[in-house]
Amino acid sequence: MYGQAITRIDVSDVIRLLEDIGHEVETYPMELIAEGLVGAVDDVIDSEGGGEWEPLSPNTLKRRPRRAGGKLLQDRGLLANVQPAHGADWAEAASPAPYGGFHITGTRFMHARDWTDIDLDTVMESFLDQIMEEAVQ
């Protein structure tokens, strides 16, 4: 695992389905899913939660004036450095930032900015489309 796992799914049912249709399963499908998870998380971070995240508080901007006008959760780049990881029956997207969880839940002094709020159905649909496309070739 790379840093803090933020989105991890067990895909053992998908593996069984792929084996049932004759697709050779090693770690390649998990690699595709992990890459899809990273792409989905990157989209959430780039769009600042689809534009729904609370802006930085006036107190934060007063303490850190260089943050004015900058993108949320991207001032140092550590949290946004999401990387894929996978095994035989799991896939995840993870960040090296040890403080990532605080942004997901928020704190007494900070609004939640859930950068893991992705649509897993969309990630899995994209993955299955890729696998089915390969299967018919």
Side-chain angles (χ1 to χ4, degrees):
M1 179 172 67
Y2 177 79
Q4 178 179 356
I6 51 93
T7 302
R8 182 174 182 153
I9 57 174
D10 180 334
V11 292
S12 52
D13 291 337
V14 174
I15 290 172
R16 278 192 290 284
L17 174 67
L18 292 171
E19 289 172 339
D20 287 347
I21 63 171
H23 196 287
E24 186 175 322
V25 177
E26 290 178 14
T27 61
Y28 174 67
M30 302 317 110
E31 181 181 349
L32 290 178
I33 293 171
E35 289 170 3
L37 292 171
V38 169
V41 170
D42 285 345
D43 289 346
V44 170
I45 292 172
D46 289 344
S47 71
E48 297 182 332
E52 296 184 17
W53 289 346
E54 291 288 329
L56 295 174
S57 74
N59 288 338
T60 299
L61 293 173
K62 186 191 278 187
R63 283 191 327 270
R64 299 170 63 194
R66 69 178 181 82
R67 292 290 296 130
K71 295 197 74 145
L72 296 169
L73 305 186
Q74 297 184 44
D75 61 334
R76 294 187 182 104
L78 184 62
L79 184 98
N81 185 21
V82 178
Q83 299 294 313
H86 58 87
D89 64 351
W90 60 271
E92 73 181 19
S95 170
Y99 51 82
F102 296 114
H103 289 287
I104 295 168
T105 61
T107 69
R108 195 170 80 189
F109 302 106
M110 179 179 67
H111 292 287
R113 295 181 179 96
D114 189 354
W115 50 283
T116 67
D117 187 18
I118 64 173
D119 184 352
L120 284 176
D121 289 339
T122 300
V123 172
M124 292 306 293
E125 284 175 23
S126 175
F127 161 72
L128 291 173
D129 287 347
Q130 285 178 282
I131 291 296
M132 296 310 287
E133 190 174 300
E134 289 178 17
V136 297
Q137 290 180 358

